[in-house]
Every structure is written in structure tokens, then in C-alpha cells.
């Protein structure tokens, strides 16, 4: 019986794809399926996937025209058959015990989602591993995302999810920064979350990564889509929690929007960011609460 479905979105990552697939195939948890979504790759990625599929029956391939990371993940979710879901980006790699540690943590604690630390990888190297790992349980799970002292990264790729908890929370397609929106909604639904204090995921640093690439009007607007999606989700389902989300997760997003607009040195982006923040403030979707004093001053300047 398949215990975990590993969803791997693939787009022109032939350079790193073999390393990624080898790390998944070599997992100590053997009862897995590997759902690779070829998102319109134009390099050798599809050929590599097909070669691996010939040698490992656990690998499934979906091919579609290029639609972006979120669409690829959603496509993988539609055919994933296991009760637990993991996402691995095709230019990253995982420790041999990544899935086993996360799966066992969920089984032991009866939590809905498990997560672990990650290591930033600049060159090919082995992941460090602390054999005396520590685990911590958060109840309710939303606290781990809203409490600044317990900040856990919003990435989806260093976590293992109960499929039941995420089946009705699709990734927003066509936007950047989809992870924080997805996790904010998921963590509001689930009862508990277990964290493993060990870097079991290797995140490959790239100059082309979303956060390191240049800021744009598209990215600014995607922040807004995320804010409004989260706000609508909480208003429909968990209205009593919205004020806390607004003071924490939304305040953090506003800070990032302001800082990235300033660093862009682009007059048009700066002006557009000011206009959208004014609009969101007028609609009472954002406010000063949750911002540090220097960010409150910065926000005041944006509004006035």
C-alpha cells in the first residue's frame, strides 16, 4: 500500500533532476509513489523522467503545457493516491530519511501535518543530520504560523500533509508566492502540527529563484491576490481568527511589499505599490497593527 505520494513539478531542470530523483528513489520509506509533472519542459527533463520511469515502477509522469508551479502541483494532487502528500521541487533533493521521519512523526503524534528544517545548498553536498532530533507539537496548528517566536517557513516542500486536509485547498495558479497563501489556509483547518528540528531537505540556492529575482508589478499584484485570497478564506471559514492573521501574516506581507518596492529603485513599482496599499488600507484589509515602529513609519509615508 502506498503511504506517501511525492509530487515533483518539473520545468527545465535537467541539470539537477537526476540528483532530485535519486534522492527520492533512495528513501528509506519504500511504500511511495513519485508523481512527476512535466510542465512543458523544453530541455532534456522529460527524457530523464522517462528513463527513470522505465527502471522504477513507482514513478508516474504527467505532461502538460507550461502552466506554472501551482498548476503542476494541482495536477499532481489530482492523481495522487496516498493518504499523505509531499512536494519536492525538481532542483532540490532530500535526505534518505526525509519521508520516513516525517511519516513516523505523524503516526506517532497523530498530527495532520509534519515539517522539518532545511539546508540552503549552494553546491552539491550532503545534508547534515542530527541523529538526536527534537520534535515539537503545535496545537492549534495556526499558532505556529502566527506567532513570530515560533516562525516556521511557509514553504510547502519541507512538509508532509494529510491529503484529507489539503484536498479542498488548491494552489492559486498563475501567481508567485503561492506557498504562504496555501499554508495559511491549510494551517487554519488542521488541529495540530509536528516540527522536526533537523535539516532533512536540501534547498538549492539559485539566482533565478523567485525571492532573489528582480521585483516587478506582476509580483506586487500577486502579493495582493494572496492577501485578498487569505482574507476571503478567513471571512468565510474562520472570521474570529482574521484579526490575528492580519496582525501577523498580513503585516509581514505588507512589510515585504514595501521593502521590495523601495529596493527595486523603480519609480513605477514604487508608485503602484503606494496606490495599492492605500486601497487595501481604505478597505480595512490591512492596517498598522503588527508592524514594528520603523515599519509603521514607512507605512505612514506610503499612505501619505
Amino acid at each position: 500500500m502506498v503511504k506517501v505520494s511525492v509530487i515533483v513539478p518539473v520545468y527545465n531542470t535537467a541539470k539537477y533532476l537526476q540528483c532530485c530523483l535519486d534522492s527520492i528513489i533512495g528513501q528509506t520509506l519504500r511504500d511511495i509513489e513519485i508523481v512527476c509533472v512535466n510542465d512543458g519542459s523544453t530541455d532534456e527533463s522529460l527524457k530523464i523522467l522517462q528513463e527513470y520511469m522505465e527502471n522504477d515502477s513507482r514513478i508516474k509522469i504527467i505532461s502538460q503545457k507550461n502552466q506554472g508551479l501551482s498548476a503542476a502541483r494541482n495536477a499532481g494532487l489530482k492523481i495522487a493516491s496516498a493518504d499523505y502528500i509531499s512536494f519536492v521541487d525538481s532542483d532540490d533533493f532530500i535526505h534518505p530519511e526525509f519521508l520516513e521521519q516525517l511519516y513516523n512523526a505523524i503516526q506517532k503524534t497523530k498530527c495532520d501535518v509534519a515539517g522539518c528544517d532545511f539546508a540552503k545548498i549552494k553546491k552539491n553536498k550532503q545534508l547534515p543530520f542530527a541523529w538526536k532530533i527534537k520534535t515539537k507539537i503545535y496545537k492549534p496548528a495556526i499558532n505556529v504560523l502566527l506567532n513570530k517566536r515560533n516562525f516556521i517557513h511557509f514553504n510547502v516542500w519541507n512538509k508532509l500533509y494529510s491529503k484529507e486536509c489539503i484536498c479542498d485547498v488548491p494552489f492559486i495558479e498563475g501567481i508567485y508566492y503561492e506557498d504562504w497563501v496555501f499554508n495559511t489556509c491549510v494551517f487554519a483547518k488542521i488541529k495540530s502540527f509536528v516540527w522536526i528540528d533537523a535539516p532533512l531537505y536540501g534547498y538549492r540556492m539559485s539566482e533565478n529563484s523567485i525571492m532573489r529575482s528582480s521585483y516587478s508589478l506582476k509580483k506586487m499584484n500577486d502579493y495582493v491576490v494572496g492577501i485578498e485570497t487569505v482574507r476571503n478564506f478567513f471571512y468565510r471559514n474562520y472570521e474570529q481568527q482574521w484579526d490575528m492573521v492580519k496582525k501577523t501574516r498580513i503585516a509581514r506581507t505588507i512589510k515585504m511589499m514595501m521593502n521590495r518596492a523601495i529596493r527595486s529603485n523603480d519609480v513605477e513599482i514604487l508608485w503602484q505599490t503606494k496606490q495599492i496599499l492605500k486601497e487595501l488600507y481604505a478597505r480595512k484589509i490591512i492596517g498598522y497593527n503588527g508592524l514594528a515602529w520603523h515599519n509603521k513609519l514607512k507605512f505612514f509615508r506610503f499612505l501619505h
Side-chain angles (χ1 to χ4, degrees), residues 127-192:
L127 284 170
F129 184 67
W131 290 106
K132 293 183 179 180
I133 62 174
K134 298 178 181 179
T135 60
K136 185 174 182 178
I137 299 174
Y138 294 88
K139 292 183 179 181
I142 191 68
N143 287 351
V144 75
L145 298 183
L146 302 185
N147 190 325
K148 294 180 180 179
R149 292 175 296 178
N150 294 329
F151 179 74
I152 300 296
H153 288 276
F154 275 76
N155 314 308
V156 300
W157 36 250
N158 64 333
K159 297 176 179 65
L160 181 65
Y161 299 87
S162 166
K163 186 180 181 181
E164 182 180 3
C165 295
I166 66 174
C167 60
D168 59 346
V169 186
F171 290 93
I172 304 175
E173 299 185 10
I175 71 166
Y176 294 109
Y177 320 122
E178 72 291 333
D179 284 24
W180 80 266
V181 180
F182 176 83
N183 273 325
T184 303
C185 297
V186 168
F187 274 63
K189 291 181 54 183
I190 65 177
K191 296 179 179 179
S192 55

Side-chain angles (χ1 to χ4, degrees), residues 80-96:
S81 63
D83 291 333
Y84 294 94
I85 306 292
S86 174
F87 301 96
V88 177
D89 285 356
S90 58
D91 54 349
D92 296 336
F93 60 95
I94 52 180
H95 188 278

